[in-house]
CSV table of all heavy atoms in Angstrom, one decimal:
chain,number,residue,atom,x,y,z
S,7,ARG,N,-56.2,-13.6,39.1
S,7,ARG,CA,-57.2,-14.4,39.7
S,7,ARG,C,-57.7,-13.8,41.0
S,7,ARG,O,-58.6,-14.4,41.7
S,7,ARG,CB,-56.9,-15.8,39.8
S,7,ARG,CG,-56.6,-16.6,38.5
S,7,ARG,CD,-56.0,-17.9,38.7
S,7,ARG,NE,-54.6,-17.8,39.4
S,7,ARG,CZ,-54.0,-18.9,39.7
S,7,ARG,NH1,-54.5,-20.1,39.5
S,7,ARG,NH2,-52.8,-18.7,40.4
S,55,TRP,N,-46.1,13.0,47.2
S,55,TRP,CA,-46.0,11.7,46.7
S,55,TRP,C,-46.9,11.5,45.6
S,55,TRP,O,-47.8,12.2,45.3
S,55,TRP,CB,-46.0,10.7,47.9
S,55,TRP,CG,-47.4,10.4,48.4
S,55,TRP,CD1,-48.2,9.5,48.1
S,55,TRP,CD2,-48.0,11.3,49.5
S,55,TRP,NE1,-49.4,9.6,48.8
S,55,TRP,CE2,-49.2,10.7,49.7
S,55,TRP,CE3,-47.5,12.3,50.2
S,55,TRP,CZ2,-50.1,11.1,50.7
S,55,TRP,CZ3,-48.3,12.8,51.2
S,55,TRP,CH2,-49.5,12.3,51.4
S,58,SER,N,-50.7,5.2,42.3
S,58,SER,CA,-51.7,4.7,41.2
S,58,SER,C,-53.0,4.3,41.8
S,58,SER,O,-53.0,3.9,43.1
S,58,SER,CB,-51.1,3.5,40.4
S,58,SER,OG,-51.0,2.4,41.3
S,83,LEU,N,-42.7,7.1,35.8
S,83,LEU,CA,-42.1,5.9,36.4
S,83,LEU,C,-43.2,4.9,36.6
S,83,LEU,O,-43.2,3.7,36.2
S,83,LEU,CB,-41.3,6.1,37.5
S,83,LEU,CG,-40.8,5.0,38.3
S,83,LEU,CD1,-39.9,4.2,37.3
S,83,LEU,CD2,-40.0,5.4,39.6
S,93,SER,N,-47.4,-6.1,30.0
S,93,SER,CA,-46.7,-6.9,28.9
S,93,SER,C,-46.3,-8.3,29.4
S,93,SER,O,-45.7,-9.0,28.6
S,93,SER,CB,-45.6,-6.1,28.3
S,93,SER,OG,-44.5,-6.0,29.3
S,130,ALA,N,-57.1,5.3,46.5
S,130,ALA,CA,-57.0,3.9,46.1
S,130,ALA,C,-58.0,3.0,47.0
S,130,ALA,O,-58.6,2.2,46.5
S,130,ALA,CB,-55.6,3.4,46.3
S,139,LEU,N,-56.0,-2.1,50.8
S,139,LEU,CA,-55.7,-2.4,49.4
S,139,LEU,C,-54.2,-2.7,49.4
S,139,LEU,O,-53.5,-1.9,49.9
S,139,LEU,CB,-56.1,-1.4,48.5
S,139,LEU,CG,-56.3,-1.8,47.0
S,139,LEU,CD1,-57.5,-2.7,46.9
S,139,LEU,CD2,-56.5,-0.5,46.2
S,174,ALA,N,-46.4,2.5,60.5
S,174,ALA,CA,-46.3,4.1,60.6
S,174,ALA,C,-45.9,4.5,62.1
S,174,ALA,O,-45.2,5.4,62.2
S,174,ALA,CB,-47.7,4.6,60.3
S,232,ASP,N,-34.6,20.6,85.3
S,232,ASP,CA,-33.3,20.7,84.7
S,232,ASP,C,-33.0,19.5,83.7
S,232,ASP,O,-33.4,18.4,84.1
S,232,ASP,CB,-32.2,20.7,85.7
S,232,ASP,CG,-32.3,22.0,86.6
S,232,ASP,OD1,-32.9,23.1,86.0
S,232,ASP,OD2,-31.9,22.1,87.7
S,235,PRO,N,-27.3,16.3,79.9
S,235,PRO,CA,-26.9,15.9,78.5
S,235,PRO,C,-27.4,14.4,78.2
S,235,PRO,O,-27.8,14.2,77.1
S,235,PRO,CB,-25.4,15.9,78.5
S,235,PRO,CG,-25.1,17.1,79.4
S,235,PRO,CD,-26.1,16.9,80.6
S,272,GLY,N,-53.6,21.2,81.5
S,272,GLY,CA,-53.9,22.6,82.0
S,272,GLY,C,-53.8,23.5,80.7
S,272,GLY,O,-53.4,23.2,79.6
Side-chain angles (χ1 to χ4, degrees):
R7 296 173 297 178
W55 67 96
S58 69
L83 176 59
S93 68
L139 201 66
D232 292 337

